[in-house]
């Protein structure tokens, strides 16, 4: 198994994520593009010591951007929306 910290890159703090936390007890993370749902579930359990009910993943395509005459592309990345079992929270998000 991969190292849990190499699977979970960072927590995503957004307004949409805050709404998901309040209404559905779901948390969003940027994860490794090679990680699958089972690895993400196990990594969240290992890092935060919570029980995961559901994992949904989204591949976010990189955007085409311009700066004057210079054109480039942002990197593509993977997002995971993790739903926890009823009554459990991740303290990292509660401090914000």
């Amino acid at each position: 198994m991969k190292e849990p910290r190499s699977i979970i890159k960072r927590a995503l703090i957004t307004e949409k994520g805050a709404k998901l936390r309040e209404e559905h007890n779901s948390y969003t993370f940027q994860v490794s593009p090679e990680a699958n749902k089972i690895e993400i579930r196990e990594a969240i359990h290992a890092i935060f010591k919570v029980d995961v009910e559901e994992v949904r993943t989204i591949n976010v395509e990189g955007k085409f951007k311009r700066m004057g005459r210079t054109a480039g592309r942002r990197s593509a990345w993977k997002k995971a929306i993790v739903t926890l079992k009823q009554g459990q929270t991740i303290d990292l998000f509660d401090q914000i």
Side-chain angles (χ1 to χ4, degrees), residues 28-86:
T28 54
F29 297 93
Q30 181 178 352
V31 297
S32 172
E34 297 85 28
N36 61 34
K37 292 181 181 186
I38 297 167
E39 292 172 337
I40 294 168
R41 177 188 306 262
E42 291 172 356
I44 294 292
H45 180 71
I47 295 170
F48 299 109
K49 308 290 189 256
V50 292
D51 295 324
V52 177
E53 188 172 293
E54 180 184 21
V55 176
R56 293 176 288 166
T57 58
I58 301 122
N59 287 312
V60 180
E61 191 65 34
K63 292 182 179 179
F64 179 77
K65 290 291 184 178
R66 293 185 59 92
M67 291 290 288
R69 289 189 291 177
T70 307
R73 187 170 188 84
R74 289 188 183 164
S75 299
W77 54 285
K78 191 171 194 175
K79 181 188 334 186
I81 301 173
V82 179
T83 304
L84 302 181
K85 292 197 176 173
Q86 195 67 22

Side-chain angles (χ1 to χ4, degrees), residues 10-25:
R10 66 185 179 112
L12 296 176
I13 311 295
T14 61
E15 290 181 22
K16 187 174 183 179
K19 188 174 180 181
L20 284 172
R21 276 195 311 277
E22 292 171 4
E23 295 177 1
H24 303 288
N25 199 26

